[in-house]
Short mmCIF file of all heavy atoms in Angstrom, two decimals:
data_model
loop_
_atom_site.label_atom_id
_atom_site.label_comp_id
_atom_site.label_asym_id
_atom_site.label_seq_id
_atom_site.Cartn_x
_atom_site.Cartn_y
_atom_site.Cartn_z
N LEU A 16 0.83 -1.20 0.00
CA LEU A 16 0.00 0.00 0.00
C LEU A 16 0.87 1.26 0.00
O LEU A 16 0.64 2.18 -0.80
CB LEU A 16 -0.91 -0.01 1.23
CG LEU A 16 -1.78 1.24 1.47
CD1 LEU A 16 -2.89 1.32 0.43
CD2 LEU A 16 -2.36 1.22 2.87
N LEU A 17 1.86 1.31 0.87
CA LEU A 17 2.67 2.51 1.03
C LEU A 17 3.78 2.63 -0.01
O LEU A 17 4.50 3.62 -0.04
CB LEU A 17 3.27 2.57 2.44
CG LEU A 17 2.23 2.65 3.57
CD1 LEU A 17 2.90 2.82 4.91
CD2 LEU A 17 1.25 3.80 3.33
N ALA A 18 3.92 1.61 -0.85
CA ALA A 18 4.86 1.70 -1.98
C ALA A 18 4.13 1.96 -3.30
O ALA A 18 4.76 2.03 -4.35
CB ALA A 18 5.68 0.41 -2.08
N GLY A 19 2.80 2.06 -3.23
CA GLY A 19 2.03 2.29 -4.46
C GLY A 19 2.07 1.10 -5.40
O GLY A 19 1.93 1.26 -6.61
N GLN A 20 2.24 -0.10 -4.85
CA GLN A 20 2.39 -1.29 -5.68
C GLN A 20 1.07 -2.05 -5.88
O GLN A 20 1.08 -3.17 -6.35
CB GLN A 20 3.43 -2.24 -5.06
CG GLN A 20 4.84 -1.68 -5.08
CD GLN A 20 5.83 -2.62 -4.42
OE1 GLN A 20 5.48 -3.43 -3.58
NE2 GLN A 20 7.08 -2.51 -4.81
N THR A 21 -0.02 -1.47 -5.49
CA THR A 21 -1.31 -2.14 -5.62
C THR A 21 -2.37 -1.12 -5.99
O THR A 21 -2.34 0.03 -5.54
CB THR A 21 -1.69 -2.83 -4.29
OG1 THR A 21 -3.02 -3.33 -4.39
CG2 THR A 21 -1.58 -1.87 -3.11
N PRO A 22 -3.32 -1.51 -6.86
CA PRO A 22 -4.43 -0.60 -7.15
C PRO A 22 -5.42 -0.50 -6.00
O PRO A 22 -6.28 0.39 -5.99
CB PRO A 22 -5.08 -1.23 -8.40
CG PRO A 22 -4.75 -2.68 -8.30
CD PRO A 22 -3.38 -2.75 -7.65
N GLN A 23 -5.33 -1.41 -5.02
CA GLN A 23 -6.24 -1.40 -3.87
C GLN A 23 -5.67 -0.49 -2.79
O GLN A 23 -4.94 -0.92 -1.90
CB GLN A 23 -6.44 -2.82 -3.36
CG GLN A 23 -7.12 -3.73 -4.36
CD GLN A 23 -7.18 -5.17 -3.92
OE1 GLN A 23 -6.15 -5.77 -3.58
NE2 GLN A 23 -8.37 -5.74 -3.92
N ARG A 24 -6.03 0.80 -2.89
CA ARG A 24 -5.44 1.79 -1.98
C ARG A 24 -6.29 2.03 -0.74
O ARG A 24 -6.11 2.99 -0.03
CB ARG A 24 -5.18 3.09 -2.75
CG ARG A 24 -4.00 2.96 -3.69
CD ARG A 24 -3.67 4.24 -4.43
NE ARG A 24 -4.70 4.55 -5.43
CZ ARG A 24 -5.55 5.55 -5.35
NH1 ARG A 24 -5.53 6.35 -4.28
NH2 ARG A 24 -6.42 5.78 -6.31
N ILE A 25 -7.24 1.14 -0.49
CA ILE A 25 -8.00 1.12 0.76
C ILE A 25 -7.80 -0.25 1.39
O ILE A 25 -8.02 -1.28 0.74
CB ILE A 25 -9.49 1.35 0.52
CG1 ILE A 25 -9.74 2.72 -0.16
CG2 ILE A 25 -10.28 1.27 1.83
CD1 ILE A 25 -11.17 2.91 -0.60
N VAL A 26 -7.35 -0.28 2.63
CA VAL A 26 -7.18 -1.53 3.36
C VAL A 26 -8.14 -1.51 4.54
O VAL A 26 -8.12 -0.58 5.36
CB VAL A 26 -5.74 -1.72 3.86
CG1 VAL A 26 -5.63 -2.97 4.75
CG2 VAL A 26 -4.77 -1.85 2.67
N LEU A 27 -9.01 -2.52 4.61
CA LEU A 27 -9.96 -2.66 5.69
C LEU A 27 -9.48 -3.77 6.62
O LEU A 27 -9.26 -4.91 6.16
CB LEU A 27 -11.35 -3.01 5.13
CG LEU A 27 -11.94 -2.03 4.11
CD1 LEU A 27 -13.25 -2.57 3.57
CD2 LEU A 27 -12.11 -0.65 4.70
N ILE A 28 -9.29 -3.45 7.89
CA ILE A 28 -8.76 -4.41 8.86
C ILE A 28 -9.83 -4.71 9.89
O ILE A 28 -10.21 -3.83 10.67
CB ILE A 28 -7.49 -3.89 9.53
CG1 ILE A 28 -6.41 -3.56 8.49
CG2 ILE A 28 -6.95 -4.91 10.53
CD1 ILE A 28 -5.16 -2.94 9.06
N ALA A 29 -10.33 -5.93 9.89
CA ALA A 29 -11.41 -6.31 10.79
C ALA A 29 -10.89 -7.30 11.83
O ALA A 29 -9.96 -8.06 11.60
CB ALA A 29 -12.55 -6.96 9.99
N GLY A 30 -11.51 -7.29 13.00
CA GLY A 30 -11.14 -8.23 14.04
C GLY A 30 -11.75 -7.86 15.37
O GLY A 30 -12.10 -6.70 15.61
N ALA A 31 -11.87 -8.84 16.25
CA ALA A 31 -12.41 -8.60 17.59
C ALA A 31 -11.37 -7.87 18.44
O ALA A 31 -10.23 -7.66 18.03
CB ALA A 31 -12.79 -9.93 18.24
N SER A 32 -11.77 -7.50 19.64
CA SER A 32 -10.86 -6.84 20.56
C SER A 32 -9.71 -7.78 20.91
O SER A 32 -9.90 -8.99 21.08
CB SER A 32 -11.59 -6.44 21.86
OG SER A 32 -12.59 -5.48 21.58
N GLY A 33 -8.52 -7.22 21.01
CA GLY A 33 -7.37 -7.96 21.46
C GLY A 33 -6.63 -8.74 20.41
O GLY A 33 -5.69 -9.48 20.75
N VAL A 34 -6.99 -8.63 19.14
CA VAL A 34 -6.30 -9.40 18.11
C VAL A 34 -5.19 -8.59 17.42
O VAL A 34 -4.53 -9.11 16.53
CB VAL A 34 -7.27 -9.94 17.04
CG1 VAL A 34 -8.26 -10.91 17.65
CG2 VAL A 34 -7.99 -8.81 16.31
N GLY A 35 -5.00 -7.35 17.84
CA GLY A 35 -3.83 -6.61 17.35
C GLY A 35 -4.09 -5.57 16.27
O GLY A 35 -3.15 -5.15 15.60
N LYS A 36 -5.35 -5.14 16.09
CA LYS A 36 -5.62 -4.15 15.06
C LYS A 36 -4.87 -2.84 15.34
O LYS A 36 -4.19 -2.30 14.46
CB LYS A 36 -7.13 -3.86 14.98
CG LYS A 36 -7.98 -5.07 14.64
CD LYS A 36 -9.44 -4.69 14.47
CE LYS A 36 -10.05 -4.09 15.72
NZ LYS A 36 -10.04 -5.00 16.88
N SER A 37 -5.02 -2.34 16.55
CA SER A 37 -4.40 -1.06 16.89
C SER A 37 -2.88 -1.17 16.89
O SER A 37 -2.17 -0.22 16.49
CB SER A 37 -4.89 -0.56 18.25
OG SER A 37 -6.29 -0.30 18.20
N THR A 38 -2.36 -2.32 17.32
CA THR A 38 -0.91 -2.52 17.26
C THR A 38 -0.41 -2.47 15.84
O THR A 38 0.63 -1.86 15.54
CB THR A 38 -0.55 -3.88 17.90
OG1 THR A 38 -0.96 -3.88 19.27
CG2 THR A 38 0.95 -4.13 17.84
N LEU A 39 -1.13 -3.10 14.94
CA LEU A 39 -0.76 -3.09 13.52
C LEU A 39 -0.76 -1.65 12.99
O LEU A 39 0.14 -1.26 12.23
CB LEU A 39 -1.71 -3.97 12.71
CG LEU A 39 -1.41 -4.17 11.24
CD1 LEU A 39 -0.04 -4.79 11.03
CD2 LEU A 39 -2.50 -5.01 10.57
N LEU A 40 -1.74 -0.87 13.40
CA LEU A 40 -1.80 0.52 12.95
C LEU A 40 -0.65 1.33 13.51
O LEU A 40 -0.08 2.20 12.82
CB LEU A 40 -3.14 1.16 13.34
CG LEU A 40 -4.40 0.59 12.68
CD1 LEU A 40 -5.58 1.49 12.97
CD2 LEU A 40 -4.23 0.43 11.18
N ARG A 41 -0.28 1.09 14.78
CA ARG A 41 0.85 1.83 15.35
C ARG A 41 2.14 1.53 14.61
O ARG A 41 2.95 2.43 14.35
CB ARG A 41 0.99 1.49 16.84
CG ARG A 41 -0.06 2.14 17.73
CD ARG A 41 0.33 2.06 19.19
NE ARG A 41 0.36 0.69 19.68
CZ ARG A 41 -0.68 0.05 20.18
NH1 ARG A 41 -1.86 0.66 20.27
NH2 ARG A 41 -0.59 -1.19 20.63
N GLN A 42 2.33 0.29 14.24
CA GLN A 42 3.52 -0.07 13.47
C GLN A 42 3.46 0.57 12.07
O GLN A 42 4.49 0.97 11.53
CB GLN A 42 3.63 -1.59 13.35
CG GLN A 42 3.82 -2.31 14.68
CD GLN A 42 5.06 -1.84 15.40
OE1 GLN A 42 6.17 -1.87 14.85
NE2 GLN A 42 4.90 -1.40 16.63
N THR A 43 2.27 0.67 11.54
CA THR A 43 2.13 1.31 10.21
C THR A 43 2.50 2.77 10.28
O THR A 43 3.16 3.30 9.38
CB THR A 43 0.67 1.16 9.73
OG1 THR A 43 0.36 -0.23 9.60
CG2 THR A 43 0.48 1.85 8.38
N VAL A 44 2.10 3.46 11.36
CA VAL A 44 2.47 4.88 11.53
C VAL A 44 3.98 5.03 11.63
O VAL A 44 4.57 5.93 11.02
CB VAL A 44 1.78 5.46 12.78
CG1 VAL A 44 2.32 6.86 13.09
CG2 VAL A 44 0.26 5.53 12.58
N ARG A 45 4.63 4.13 12.36
CA ARG A 45 6.09 4.17 12.47
C ARG A 45 6.74 3.96 11.11
O ARG A 45 7.68 4.66 10.74
CB ARG A 45 6.59 3.10 13.45
CG ARG A 45 6.31 3.39 14.91
CD ARG A 45 6.91 2.30 15.79
NE ARG A 45 8.34 2.10 15.50
CZ ARG A 45 9.01 0.98 15.73
NH1 ARG A 45 8.37 -0.08 16.23
NH2 ARG A 45 10.29 0.90 15.45
#
C-alpha cells in the first residue's frame, strides 16, 4: 500500500478486541 504497488489503496482491517488491530496501525504509523 505505502509503496504504491497495488491498485487497492484502501485496506480494511477487521477483528475482535485484542487481536492486534491497533498494534498493527501503530507499526504502520512508524
Side-chain angles (χ1 to χ4, degrees):
L16 175 71
L17 298 185
Q20 293 179 335
T21 173
Q23 295 173 307
R24 287 182 290 110
I25 300 172
V26 174
L27 304 175
I28 303 176
S32 296
V34 297
K36 300 184 300 299
S37 296
T38 299
L39 185 60
L40 294 191
R41 285 195 294 272
Q42 297 301 305
T43 299
V44 171
R45 287 183 54 205

